[in-house]
Amino acid sequence: MDAGSVDNFISEQENKATSQKNRTRRKTITVLHLFLETKNEERKMEDILTAELNEYVSEFINSVRTKDGKEYEPSSLRNLLAISERHLNKNYPASIINDLAFKKTLKTLKTLNT
């Protein structure tokens, strides 16, 4: 295998990984939006006031289950919050992960870790 072939292989693998991450992000945000719909919330996540979103997200991470009905691992829930944070990061006034405005969400996550 020559250097060009190796470079192409690396590029293809990076592209596959990026595509997989993007699919996971879209799926996570879609699931969260579907949860919001079950709460009769028609606004997009980024249009919901911080206090309200805190309530929704804390309830969501407490109730979300895998396809086979099992609870998610704490690391998966942290990843879910990180994906939500990234989605909101552009225009949202608070950080799900770092702001006290999301204290209930963080306490819920901490409780699920024990």
Side-chain angles (χ1 to χ4, degrees), residues 25-83:
R25 288 180 186 132
R26 284 191 302 272
K27 183 178 175 183
T28 299
I29 298 304
T30 298
V31 169
L32 187 49
H33 279 290
L34 290 172
F35 172 80
L36 292 172
E37 286 178 10
T38 68
K39 300 297 177 185
N40 296 318
E41 180 58 67
E42 296 179 5
R43 297 173 287 178
K44 291 182 180 180
M45 222 169 63
E46 52 270 22
D47 295 332
I48 300 173
L49 297 174
T50 304
E52 293 173 275
L53 189 58
N54 179 39
E55 294 293 324
Y56 286 136
V57 175
S58 64
E59 185 177 345
F60 175 71
I61 64 171
N62 193 39
S63 64
V64 69
R65 299 291 183 264
T66 63
K67 288 181 182 180
D68 59 0
K70 295 180 182 176
E71 291 184 2
Y72 278 99
E73 292 293 323
S75 61
S76 296
L77 293 172
R78 283 191 299 275
N79 189 41
L80 181 145
L81 289 181
I83 289 170

Side-chain angles (χ1 to χ4, degrees), residues 93-110:
S95 165
I96 293 175
I97 297 170
N98 297 314
D99 285 347
L100 289 177
F102 284 93
K103 187 175 183 177
K104 184 173 184 177
T105 295
L106 299 174
K107 278 187 172 185
T108 302
L109 181 60
K110 186 175 181 178

